[in-house]
Amino acid sequence: MTHPPEPPEVDYPLTTKEGWAAFVNEIPAPPLMLPPAVLQRLTETERTDHDTAREDYHAQLVIVSTPTVQVLV
C-alpha cells in the first residue's frame, strides 16, 4: 500500500497575512538543557545541531513571563 505524497510545507513571509498569523500563533518548544557531562559526550555534528536549535529558539524572541514582564502586561 502506498501513501499519498506529503504536501510541501509553505513558508509565507512575515509581510503576508498568512505568514504573520503563522508567526504569532506558533508556540516554540524550548530546547533541552543538557547537563555538562552530556554536552561533552556529543559528537561535533550533534553539538552543532544542539547549538543551532538553541540559536533558532532564542532568535524567535520568545517572551518569558518574568516579574518585570508581568508588570508591563
Side-chain angles (χ1 to χ4, degrees):
M1 179 164 123
T2 60
H3 298 283
E6 293 282 328
E9 189 172 312
V10 179
D11 187 21
Y12 295 105
L14 290 177
T15 55
T16 65
K17 181 179 176 182
E18 297 83 3
W20 182 252
F23 175 76
V24 297
N25 291 319
E26 181 181 0
I27 302 174
L32 294 175
M33 294 280 298
L34 299 177
V38 174
L39 285 173
Q40 290 176 351
R41 290 194 306 266
L42 294 178
T43 65
E44 185 175 339
T45 301
E46 291 170 333
R47 181 61 188 252
T48 300
D49 291 345
H50 174 72
D51 290 345
T52 301
R54 293 180 68 234
E55 290 169 0
D56 291 346
Y57 175 76
H58 290 294
Q60 293 178 17
L61 302 175
V62 177
I63 297 175
V64 179
S65 183
T66 64
T68 303
V69 171
Q70 291 171 358
V71 170
L72 298 174
V73 176

